[in-house]
Amino acid sequence: MGEGSGTSVAPALSLTAITKRYTEAPVLFPTSLEVQTGEFVTILGPSGCGKSTLLRIITGIIEPTGGTVRLDGTDVTHLPPERRDMAIVFQSYALFPHMSVGDNIRFGLKMKRIPRAEADRRFDHVVGICGLTPLLRRMPRHLSGGQQQRVALARALVMQPTLLLLDEPLSNLDAKLRDSLREDLLELHRETRSTSLYVTHDQTEAMSMSDRIILLNEGRVVETGTPRDLYLDPKMRFTAEFLGQTNIVPVTAEGRSAGTPWGQAIALRAPAHGPSQVSLRAEALRISPDTSGPATVTELQFLGADVLYSVDCGGHAFRVRRDSDAPLIDRGTRVDISAMGDATPLQDTPGEAA
Amino acid sequence: MIRKNVLSLLLLLLPGIGFLLLTFGLPLWWALTGSIGLGPGGVGFTFDHLAMIFERPAYWRGLQMSLYYAITPTVLTLFIAVPLALLLQQPMFGRKLLNGLYKIPLAVPGIIAAFMVLTMVEQGGFLDRILMHVGLRMPRIVRDEWGIAVVLTSIWKDTPFMALIITGAFGAIASDMVPAARSLGASRLRAFLAIELPMAMPGITAAALLCFVKSLGSFAAPSILGPTYPMPLPVLMYESYREGKWAEIYAMGTVLIIAAFLVLAAYYTLTALSLRPGRESRQ
């Protein structure tokens, strides 16, 4: 999981076999991960998967039951939060309500006793790139959600931390603002090259922003990879289903080839034998009207750029995406169905397999 | 049309405002007018009664004593109630029990509290008899010149009252605030001083004010446990009442009300100033 990067420099963050149990059931099974300097990594998972616990362990708000947290190669597992070189952007922003925007941003510089000249330089820079100059004297309660978000970000960035942690920073905002702030965040990341660990349950956010995604479920790392790899070539069933919409297709495998329910033989990227499952994205399936075809259109939804068809094939329901400029296929039409490209046989997630 | 609206608005406000005027405003008006010799049974407009409080030593010292009995326990209680409120936030063994136990003094009426303190700390009282076994004696703290037993009673009564309000004030601080401050480099102590304390300050000052006003009018403890001279104004008011001197009662009442209002006004001015946006920003 993220190991073997081949660099001799220690990763910005490295977790080794971190575990956490509160009373009986473990919240985190031994979890290891690394974030390289300059990387934007997302921990993605459904609520209750342990991602908040993991974040709190990294920041030092709670102590792990076992394992090691290293920052730039230094063991910080038992250091209090104030002695770890990281900054957090909270979901709630956690701006100090009794301080002006300017004082909120200066707070960390004062606490860490950054020399005046250096502090002023950093302050001016961050305020500039976050566009906060007109708001410096305002109190947090007089700011909109998006403005508060930018202040929280500036307050973290001004620390120039080894690691920037972002805990669902966009989830309290409405959809439109979220999109524009997502772009702002990416731009800031490119500009500051800050090593960032982003935590979210939103797969769209994770895929659009990250260099790498660490998918977490039930206290375990399910799979790690680039957004493209995880989306197009998931190794785990959980990954396939959590990222975007997909069809889990039952197949009969024979080495590098597998037979689909509609009788097509598709190539496998890894050998398998007997009954197996593959993930075929809705856009990887093709249908065309054919009176002797094996499938029937049961439902269609016009989505603008494309049309989402529900298709029944021998008792299995599949979803197929077609460009909307192609002629519509009516409900009840018999169709021929085929898959494009090859697929990887899916494994069940570690938690469920155990 | 507008006039009709104003009329209906006034009618709608009447039950609330009217009730306040009747039950609070009217007696206050009587006290104020009575203190300057107006109203029923008055001798005609005069500042003599009010002036008397500042001229006659018994009353002047009485006013000072009232302020002393109000300020001293309030300040001392703060030093107990704030740490207690913080302690009650911590997850620890027996927290629920402590949380229930510390509120017991709230349920004990002031006069009973005064007698409890009397039997405990008086010379010849409970503690005194225990100390005697080790050859020690209780110092004189009942009816002493510093009114120590009076102050102790107020502290005993006010601690849970203040702690209850202050616990609420600390509890209302969002749970991310301290982690946010600490991740920015603040130690546990600095996070408390720079973030938690200022954020809880409105609750703390409100609690202190309520205790101040409560102690300013306290009667039972000073009359049972306090020195016979000087007596605080509430006790003197009762004595004047027994002698039927209503003008003096009005005058003392008015002075006490003004003292309380001055403190309240100072409080609101200070909070209004501290909440003004941009106050703390530097260029």
Side-chain angles (χ1 to χ4, degrees):
Chain A
M1 277 141 231
E3 278 141 32
S5 55
T7 50
S8 56
V9 188
L13 174 74
S14 137
L15 303 186
T16 317
I18 289 290
T19 57
K20 181 70 190 178
R21 60 175 69 228
Y22 282 106
T23 46
E24 286 296 307
V27 185
L28 278 178
F29 293 91
T31 302
S32 302
L33 58 91
E34 283 182 359
V35 180
Q36 304 298 332
T37 304
E39 234 188 338
F40 194 114
V41 174
T42 297
I43 297 179
L44 173 68
S47 57
C49 71
K51 57 187 190 298
S52 305
T53 307
L54 198 58
L55 189 85
R56 278 160 198 277
I57 289 171
I58 296 170
T59 58
I61 297 166
I62 57 175
E63 272 205 45
T65 312
T68 320
V69 182
R70 283 195 186 82
L71 204 59
D72 261 347
T74 317
D75 186 345
V76 297
T77 316
H78 303 290
L79 287 185
E82 65 267 25
R83 292 181 55 200
R84 300 182 181 201
D85 186 17
M86 47 178 80
I88 316 168
V89 178
F90 288 87
Q91 181 177 359
S92 62
Y93 317 135
L95 298 181
F96 307 131
H98 58 297
M99 293 183 193
S100 68
V101 168
D103 287 338
N104 262 282
I105 299 172
R106 278 193 192 278
F107 184 82
L109 298 171
K110 246 189 272 171
M111 289 297 131
K112 294 224 164 157
R113 298 205 172 82
I114 307 291
R116 187 70 202 221
E118 166 72 2
D120 284 347
R121 192 192 60 75
R122 284 204 216 167
F123 180 85
D124 293 342
H125 176 65
V126 161
V127 166
I129 59 173
C130 293
L132 292 170
T133 315
L135 303 178
L136 286 180
R137 297 175 67 96
R138 297 259 198 101
M139 297 306 268
R141 66 176 173 282
H142 296 133
L143 301 180
S144 69
Q147 290 171 331
Q148 290 188 30
Q149 172 56 251
R150 267 158 43 208
V151 177
L153 197 63
R155 190 176 67 175
L157 284 174
V158 81
M159 302 309 292
Q160 300 184 350
T162 302
L163 181 67
L164 177 65
L165 294 160
L166 301 119
D167 182 11
E168 309 227 3
L170 301 181
S171 60
N172 279 350
L173 303 167
D174 59 64
K176 213 163 198 175
L177 195 56
R178 201 163 5 183
D179 287 346
S180 83
L181 273 166
R182 202 161 68 195
E183 285 162 21
D184 292 352
L185 267 179
L186 273 178
E187 211 179 297
L188 275 175
H189 172 68
R190 266 196 299 274
E191 216 163 307
T192 57
R193 294 315 306 169
S194 53
T195 310
S196 308
L197 186 62
Y198 193 98
V199 174
T200 186
H201 66 270
D202 185 319
Q203 43 112 1
T204 317
E205 264 171 41
M207 286 200 286
S208 61
M209 301 174 83
S210 326
D211 296 325
R212 212 148 52 80
I213 294 175
I214 296 166
L215 191 60
L216 208 64
N217 189 39
E218 292 178 346
R220 294 168 204 269
V221 174
V222 177
E223 209 172 337
T224 305
T226 64
R228 192 181 147 83
D229 283 350
L230 291 190
Y231 185 80
L232 293 177
D233 186 20
K235 307 284 188 294
M236 299 287 174
R237 183 180 169 154
F238 180 82
T239 313
E241 288 184 308
F242 197 77
L243 294 176
Q245 273 184 343
T246 197
N247 296 292
I248 303 296
V249 180
V251 293
T252 314
E254 193 54 59
R256 289 277 187 168
S257 174
T260 61
W262 54 87
Q264 184 192 0
I266 56 168
L268 292 182
R269 293 189 194 105
H273 294 279
S276 197
Q277 288 178 326
V278 295
S279 159
L280 293 171
R281 296 282 171 197
E283 57 271 23
L285 290 179
R286 293 288 153 87
I287 51 172
S288 55
D290 183 345
T291 44
S292 60
T296 313
V297 170
T298 55
E299 195 59 73
L300 70 159
Q301 299 171 50
F302 182 77
L303 299 176
D306 43 29
V307 184
L308 189 64
Y309 290 88
S310 299
V311 169
D312 179 85
C313 177
H316 301 289
F318 298 121
R319 284 162 177 218
V320 182
R321 210 177 272 275
R322 258 164 75 97
D323 281 350
S324 56
D325 49 7
L328 289 182
I329 304 172
D330 288 333
R331 223 174 272 120
T333 312
R334 285 199 76 84
V335 288
D336 189 27
I337 182 167
S338 62
M340 310 294 293
D342 43 11
T344 307
L346 296 176
Q347 300 166 35
D348 283 325
T349 53
E352 286 156 5
Chain B
M1 201 58 200
I2 288 169
R3 189 176 296 171
K4 207 176 167 189
N5 277 342
V6 168
L7 197 70
S8 59
L9 258 180
L10 283 177
L11 269 174
L12 283 168
L13 284 171
L14 190 65
I17 305 242
F19 181 79
L20 272 178
L21 279 178
L22 203 71
T23 56
F24 179 73
L26 212 57
L28 194 65
W29 178 250
W30 276 334
L32 286 174
T33 51
S35 71
I36 50 173
L38 301 176
V43 292
F45 179 77
T46 169
F47 278 125
D48 284 355
H49 302 298
L50 283 174
M52 169 199 80
I53 291 175
F54 300 94
E55 281 164 1
R56 271 198 241 159
Y59 293 107
W60 174 232
R61 295 292 318 276
L63 175 62
Q64 289 174 330
M65 206 61 185
S66 286
L67 290 172
Y68 167 75
Y69 281 151
I71 292 166
T72 316
T74 302
V75 171
L76 293 177
T77 307
L78 269 177
F79 285 99
I80 305 170
V82 172
L84 179 63
L86 289 173
L87 185 70
L88 289 167
Q89 306 272 307
Q90 302 302 316
M92 58 170 180
F93 178 75
R95 184 172 82 150
K96 269 194 175 163
L97 186 70
L98 180 64
N99 210 345
L101 280 180
Y102 91 91
K103 290 181 193 130
I104 286 180
L106 279 178
V108 177
I111 183 119
I112 295 171
F115 276 110
M116 278 167 62
V117 171
L118 182 72
T119 50
M120 283 291 279
V121 304
E122 198 185 18
Q123 286 182 327
F126 182 74
L127 286 179
D128 199 31
R129 272 180 276 167
I130 287 179
L131 284 176
M132 233 183 270
H133 290 291
V134 291
L136 292 171
R137 295 231 51 192
M138 273 302 280
R140 180 182 159 87
I141 62 170
V142 173
R143 282 179 223 98
D144 64 309
E145 67 170 324
W146 290 102
I148 291 173
V150 181
V151 172
L152 283 179
T153 312
S154 291
I155 293 174
W156 190 78
K157 277 286 292 170
D158 287 349
T159 298
F161 180 74
M162 239 190 222
L164 199 66
I165 299 174
I166 295 174
T167 306
F170 279 117
I173 298 174
S175 60
D176 281 342
M177 287 300 161
V178 171
R182 296 198 63 190
S183 72
L184 290 167
S187 63
R188 185 73 198 80
L189 181 69
R190 292 191 77 182
F192 172 73
L193 292 176
I195 306 299
E196 284 183 284
L197 201 58
M199 283 182 74
M201 214 27 126
I204 294 172
T205 46
L209 273 176
L210 288 172
C211 281
F212 170 82
V213 172
K214 211 156 72 88
S215 300
L216 192 65
S218 78
F219 173 78
S223 46
I224 294 166
L225 303 165
T228 43
Y229 183 86
M231 296 265 214
L233 291 189
V235 180
L236 294 177
M237 280 171 81
Y238 177 70
E239 288 192 346
S240 296
Y241 165 69
R242 307 233 317 189
E243 293 160 22
K245 296 175 179 163
W246 278 95
E248 287 176 17
I249 293 172
Y250 285 143
M252 283 189 271
T254 301
V255 168
L256 276 181
I257 288 170
I258 289 171
F261 272 37
L262 283 178
V263 172
L264 276 174
Y267 164 71
Y268 284 121
T269 315
L270 282 175
T271 46
L273 278 177
S274 71
L275 287 178
R276 191 177 292 167
R279 177 185 61 100
E280 288 178 61
S281 52
R282 280 157 289 271
Q283 292 301 12

